Amino acid sequence: MTSTIVSSSGATTSMTTSTSYLATETGPLTLPISSYSFSSFPTPTLAPELPIFPATDPLNPPPVSSDPMVVPDFAPAWAAAYTKAMAMISNFTIEQKVNVTTGVGWANGLCVGNTPSVGDFPGLCLQDSPLGVRDTDLVTSFPAGITVASTWNRALMRARGVAIGQENKMKGINVALGPMMNMGRIAQGGRNWEGFGADPFLTGEAAYETILGLQAGGVQATAKHYINNEQEWKRTQESSNVDDRTEHEIYAHPFLRSVMAGVSSVMCSYNLINDTYACNNNKTLNDMMKREFGFQGFIQSDWSATMNGLSPVAGLDMTMPGDITFDSGTSYFGQNLTNYVMNGTISETRLDDMATRIIAAWYYMHQDENYPNATVDSFNFYDPINQEVNAQSDHYMIVREIGAAGTVLLKNEGALPLNKPKNIVLVGSDAAPPVSGPNEYTDQGGDPSGILAMGWGSGTNNFTYLVSPYEAIQARARVDQSSVFWDFDNWDLSKAGNSVIGMEVAIVFVNSDSGEGYITVDGNAGDRQNLTAWHQGDELILAVAAQNNNTIVVTNSVGPLIIEPWVEHPNVTAIVWANLGGNEAGNAIADILYGAWNPSGKLPYTIAKSPMDYPAQLVTGGTAADILSINYTEGLFIDYRWFDAQNITPRYEFGFGLSYTTFEYSDLAITTINPTADYAQMDLIDNWENGGATPIAEGSSTALWLHMPAYQVTFDVENTGSLYGGEVPQLYLHHSPSAGEPPSVLKGFTNVEVSPGQSASVSITLSRYDLSVWDVVRQGWAKPEGTITFSVGASSRDFRLNGTIPA
Ligand code: BGC
């Protein structure tokens, strides 16, 4: 119940000198400073080609498709922006160029991150969060990343991105600090809810659509946290030790998709990767992000994640918020960087590249054309500037729709949808409005006294308003003239049990919260201490189910819960997994309960029977000085990949979700899409078909020939029930055992809406990249040997149709 705020944002580091450190498991080692040369990375592009590879401006991306076949080419837009940026910096002094790269220091501007104006460049305002504009007022609190991922609906992912982008622009934010796309490697990971679940493909698609949307709305998007920041405990002092193949196939994939979406900025994370800090990591920043993915924008540090003055050599372009530790008045960039450039330690061409990338991203997003000034004050909520611009528009509608579409129906024994019940009783604090208003705690960092609609930390914003289930259900119940009772006290179990005796419907609301590690809530230092519902939720459900044979459970949880104590209880007649709904959370839950929205969400992670069934656990402990080693020994086998490989039966598998109707799948076919146009690079395709790997080159992992559609899978989905509804067909590949892949890997999904008795024809395309694995020896993507088969179905374990990829 306690809430301890350690600092107002972010973690800090204690290193305060400009010596170069190479961190190891035993601690930082000092490297001698010498001169580093630099060659910049050219724009990887081919001539834009319609219809698959159109030259694209980030403000005007290709329309959303449930089976995207277009691969937008942002290279011409980058090239134009580079020309302008290089012209602008051509008469900048070294100090001016350094100023472009160096934040003004913590709390020295209106936003959580600010760069100064330099010459004609007005400087940048950088602001959280992935679910809306943080630290201001009159903005929308969108459903969290985990909720939009649960929709498996690209149109809703895009729409959410556009709306968040528009609100950022209206508030004058240049750079939005999202989306966040860490992988949910550990079920307890404190920030998993900010991201898109535990599968790289789903996360990659969500990131892709979110970024296309954000930037269409006008704001620069930031892909974060790059990379392997999978737990909060000791996030600045842990080395995530990851093999190259796992890094490519699991953790880097969503970032590759971000680059393909034309993302403006990437944020390197706090942790070390294989004993080198993420913001000082030549392999992940220079070689993977800039060389392999061909990233043209800038890499900024997480807040105080810059660990030494030579990070520019490793690929870091901007230090945030600028000072080494908050308010230290010192910087690894600033005067240190100026000195390094003046004495030749860091080349001026590299400094030019840094400043060019930052200014180019601003031109690329057309922020030189009448972009609004920042009207937020991150450090004083009561500053009237926070109410100067109302950015909400009609975005509540998107919030409500995603809240419903992102709700997963896990169990339903005929209890739902509600059918004009005579009476309903709502049990549990999670049904209620929070007792002291929607913003009880700074950064939502406290024990929720009401509905949980987002987690805590920098990934939050202030609720302008918050609709609780109690308000929404009571309002809806008036339509049927139902009698509504409630009991929000979780602690008096006998009172709760007595309150449901003789009632037609008892709905129990439980939650589970987590967040960023700078705030500890009830002993949870960011990460969850356990996977149990908070406020004795299990006991509450059992107390209600003991007295009422129509007990419906609604959860608002940051991630999986162990629900074994009650899931099979005969009186638990429905389970509604409502995730984190944002400011319309209550309305979205009511829409599901009453069938205004027929559930179509699917789980973006596995719900296990026991915490120990998951492949990886939090690593805790360590003294203040220790750097923890977190060995990703499970490799490719995170989440369902592990359960499948180890034959562990989950409670509810990845991709699972029920509807109020039923669907049947039929008529599977697969056709090869012949590459015809010149840009197809037939030599590389032939090489790949013959088992060759992609070459080591700039942009090699994002090349068109690799990502253009190569196979088209088609089938029919029929609504065999009696209600209109949506289904999310999923495609999983199965490689031959010699490939070393998990038994099933998600490589496609789409969504269809079908009327009762009707069929929809469905298409899912696959690229050569989708069929490839990362070849560590050849350092490229290659098709593994052996036959590749695939399944199409309603979850990762509910396969309806099976096929084979043509040889
Ligand atoms: C978080 C980032 C956030 C930054 C600025 C850091 O503590 O890790 O996600 O964008 O603070 O608030």
Side-chain angles (χ1 to χ4, degrees):
M1 270 284 206
T2 49
S3 155
T4 323
I5 298 183
V6 173
S7 81
S8 56
S9 173
T12 57
T13 168
S14 55
M15 289 184 201
T16 51
T17 76
S18 61
T19 320
S20 173
Y21 288 113
L22 183 76
T24 69
E25 286 172 65
T26 50
L29 296 180
T30 305
L31 266 190
I33 292 178
S34 58
S35 290
Y36 293 89
S37 63
F38 170 75
S39 64
S40 61
F41 304 96
T43 306
T45 188
L46 300 157
E49 293 275 353
L50 288 166
I52 291 179
F53 194 45
T56 303
D57 185 283
L59 295 191
N60 193 13
V64 68
S65 160
S66 54
D67 181 26
M69 295 198 206
V70 170
V71 184
D73 177 18
F74 293 99
W78 277 119
Y82 266 57
T83 305
K84 292 180 194 165
M86 290 192 298
M88 180 182 271
I89 68 158
S90 63
N91 54 12
F92 278 10
T93 62
I94 288 175
E95 284 86 350
Q96 284 181 308
K97 289 183 274 198
V98 165
N99 284 345
V100 172
T101 70
T102 309
V104 299
W106 179 243
N108 289 332
L110 292 174
C111 295
V112 299
N114 308 271
T115 62
S117 74
V118 181
D120 288 339
F121 181 60
L124 299 173
C125 148
L126 302 88
Q127 189 75 344
D128 295 302
S129 76
L131 57 64
V133 186
R134 182 186 177 203
D135 285 334
T136 188
D137 199 6
L138 304 183
V139 290
T140 302
S141 296
F142 290 85
I146 202 68
T147 311
V148 77
S150 302
T151 69
W152 296 59
N153 181 316
R154 289 182 176 86
L156 294 177
M157 294 167 179
R158 179 81 70 93
R160 175 177 173 275
V162 171
I164 298 176
Q166 288 168 342
E167 294 199 13
N168 272 283
K169 179 173 180 180
M170 287 187 75
K171 290 284 192 181
I173 310 301
N174 298 99
V175 183
L177 302 176
M180 122 93 204
M181 53 194 82
N182 297 1
M183 278 315 312
R185 171 179 180 263
I186 299 163
Q188 295 91 332
R191 301 184 72 176
N192 291 355
W193 60 272
E194 293 183 47
F196 303 119
D199 175 81
F201 185 84
L202 177 62
T203 299
E205 294 313 282
Y208 180 80
E209 296 297 350
T210 301
I211 290 164
L212 289 180
L214 284 168
Q215 298 200 153
V219 74
Q220 300 183 39
T222 304
K224 75 183 188 185
H225 309 93
Y226 189 65
I227 192 175
N228 307 125
N229 180 180
E230 294 288 332
Q231 67 170 49
E232 286 301 282
W233 179 252
K234 272 184 164 284
R235 65 178 175 172
T236 61
Q237 284 174 277
E238 61 93 349
S239 176
S240 294
N241 300 323
V242 193
D243 69 87
D244 188 36
R245 178 168 172 183
T246 300
E247 192 74 310
H248 276 84
E249 293 186 24
I250 305 283
Y251 298 94
H253 168 79
F255 291 92
L256 177 151
R257 290 295 284 156
S258 303
V259 173
M260 293 183 70
V263 75
S264 298
S265 169
V266 169
M267 182 192 290
C268 50
S269 53
Y270 284 118
N271 54 289
L272 304 89
I273 303 141
N274 299 328
D275 294 334
T276 301
Y277 271 109
C279 291
N280 192 32
N281 198 306
N282 184 57
K283 172 68 186 170
T284 54
L285 303 185
N286 276 336
D287 191 51
M288 289 176 66
M289 180 54 67
K290 289 181 176 173
R291 193 273 299 167
E292 205 184 286
F293 302 169
F295 175 54
Q296 301 295 297
F298 65 94
I299 298 177
Q300 58 170 299
S301 70
D302 200 341
W303 267 231
S304 300
T306 305
M307 297 298 176
N308 80 51
L310 288 177
S311 313
V313 177
L316 184 66
D317 301 305
M318 177 190 281
T319 191
M320 272 292 144
D323 32 18
I324 291 178
T325 55
F326 290 178
D327 291 326
S328 67
T330 55
S331 180
Y332 286 121
F333 284 24
Q335 189 60 47
N336 280 324
L337 179 53
T338 303
N339 294 345
Y340 275 156
V341 175
M342 304 280 258
N343 69 21
T345 304
I346 294 176
S347 69
E348 192 170 350
T349 44
R350 172 63 185 127
L351 177 63
D352 287 351
D353 177 58
M354 295 161 73
T356 301
R357 286 171 176 273
I358 293 164
I359 295 174
W362 175 77
Y363 277 123
Y364 166 78
M365 287 298 301
H366 302 277
Q367 292 186 351
D368 57 320
E369 300 162 19
N370 293 321
Y371 203 77
N373 291 327
T375 48
V376 302
D377 183 345
S378 304
F379 303 97
N380 176 11
F381 179 74
Y382 298 101
D383 183 337
I385 200 174
N386 282 319
Q387 295 200 329
E388 209 169 290
V389 176
N390 172 11
Q392 299 167 93
S393 181
D394 58 1
H395 296 157
Y396 71 94
M397 292 195 281
I398 297 170
V399 174
R400 184 168 177 168
E401 185 170 348
I402 294 173
T407 294
V408 187
L409 181 66
L410 294 179
K411 177 177 179 180
N412 187 16
E413 315 266 290
L416 294 176
L418 297 176
N419 184 18
K420 300 187 178 26
K422 287 204 177 51
N423 54 56
I424 309 171
V425 57
L426 310 175
V427 182
S429 60
D430 185 70
V435 284
S436 351
N439 304 305
E440 299 186 288
Y441 310 103
T442 304
D443 295 338
Q444 310 297 339
D447 187 22
S449 66
I451 168 88
L452 184 76
M454 62 176 76
W456 76 73
S458 68
T460 60
N461 70 359
N462 293 318
F463 288 106
T464 300
Y465 70 96
L466 171 58
V467 179
S468 69
Y470 151 74
E471 293 156 85
I473 293 169
Q474 181 159 250
R476 174 61 183 78
R478 294 293 305 136
V479 177
D480 305 331
Q481 303 204 343
S482 309
S483 175
V484 182
F485 303 82
W486 56 85
D487 177 7
F488 300 144
D489 179 0
N490 282 42
W491 303 105
D492 188 339
L493 295 177
S494 62
K495 182 156 71 75
N498 289 338
S499 75
V500 301
I501 294 173
M503 292 287 173
E504 197 174 323
V505 187
I507 311 180
V508 193
F509 292 80
V510 298
N511 63 30
S512 168
D513 201 358
S514 74
E516 195 173 343
Y518 68 90
I519 302 174
T520 295
V521 178
D522 217 359
N524 299 273
D527 307 311
R528 286 189 287 170
Q529 291 176 302
N530 56 50
L531 299 179
T532 310
W534 284 31
H535 316 125
Q536 65 175 16
D538 291 343
E539 290 78 1
L540 185 69
I541 293 165
L542 288 170
V544 170
Q547 307 279 13
N548 188 296
N549 66 6
N550 191 17
T551 299
I552 295 168
V553 177
V554 177
T555 64
N556 289 116
S557 177
V558 287
L561 291 172
I562 302 303
I563 59 178
E564 294 308 298
W566 43 266
V567 62
E568 286 187 340
H569 194 296
N571 290 348
V572 172
T573 50
I575 303 172
V576 174
W577 204 259
N579 292 303
L580 304 172
N583 55 14
E584 292 283 329
N587 280 329
I589 290 169
D591 288 345
I592 291 288
L593 295 173
Y594 282 92
W597 184 279
N598 186 351
S600 53
K602 303 274 188 177
L603 286 176
Y605 48 68
T606 301
I607 296 181
K609 292 187 174 179
S610 155
M612 296 316 289
D613 288 347
Y614 289 105
Q617 303 293 332
L618 287 175
V619 176
T620 55
T623 67
D626 284 344
I627 292 185
L628 298 179
S629 284
I630 302 186
N631 300 322
Y632 286 27
T633 50
E634 74 291 341
L636 301 172
F637 296 83
I638 64 167
D639 202 73
Y640 66 94
R641 300 153 177 256
W642 174 261
F643 287 78
D644 291 349
Q646 300 288 320
N647 261 320
I648 301 168
T649 307
R651 171 49 64 182
Y652 291 114
E653 73 270 18
F654 175 83
F656 178 80
L658 300 170
S659 163
Y660 296 149
T661 186
T662 50
F663 298 97
E664 271 176 24
Y665 292 58
S666 63
D667 285 338
L668 182 73
I670 178 163
T671 52
T672 304
I673 302 171
N674 285 324
T676 47
D678 297 346
Y679 59 83
Q681 292 186 291
M682 280 313 300
D683 51 336
L684 292 175
I685 291 181
D686 289 342
N687 174 56
W688 182 90
E689 299 287 357
N690 294 322
T694 54
I696 297 175
E698 274 110 21
S700 52
S701 288
T702 49
L704 173 64
W705 71 268
L706 188 62
H707 289 274
M708 60 194 278
Y711 300 93
Q712 184 171 34
V713 176
T714 53
F715 52 94
D716 292 340
V717 173
E718 185 186 353
N719 183 339
T720 49
S722 53
L723 282 176
Y724 178 84
E727 170 68 322
V728 178
Q730 303 157 39
L731 187 153
Y732 294 84
L733 290 186
H734 317 294
H735 287 280
S736 72
S738 63
E741 285 290 296
S744 304
V745 285
L746 181 75
K747 291 292 174 176
F749 66 86
T750 185
N751 61 288
V752 283
E753 277 149 33
V754 203
S755 298
Q758 302 291 302
S759 267
S761 34
V762 180
S763 160
I764 296 177
T765 48
L766 294 167
S767 67
R768 292 176 183 80
Y769 173 80
D770 292 329
L771 302 188
S772 300
V773 301
W774 180 253
D775 187 312
V776 173
V777 174
R778 294 181 290 177
Q779 286 292 293
W781 296 99
K783 181 163 114 171
E785 277 175 26
T787 307
I788 307 173
T789 62
F790 66 94
S791 303
V792 168
S795 83
S796 63
R797 289 185 170 222
D798 183 4
F799 298 146
R800 307 291 180 85
L801 304 168
N802 299 298
T804 302
I805 305 289

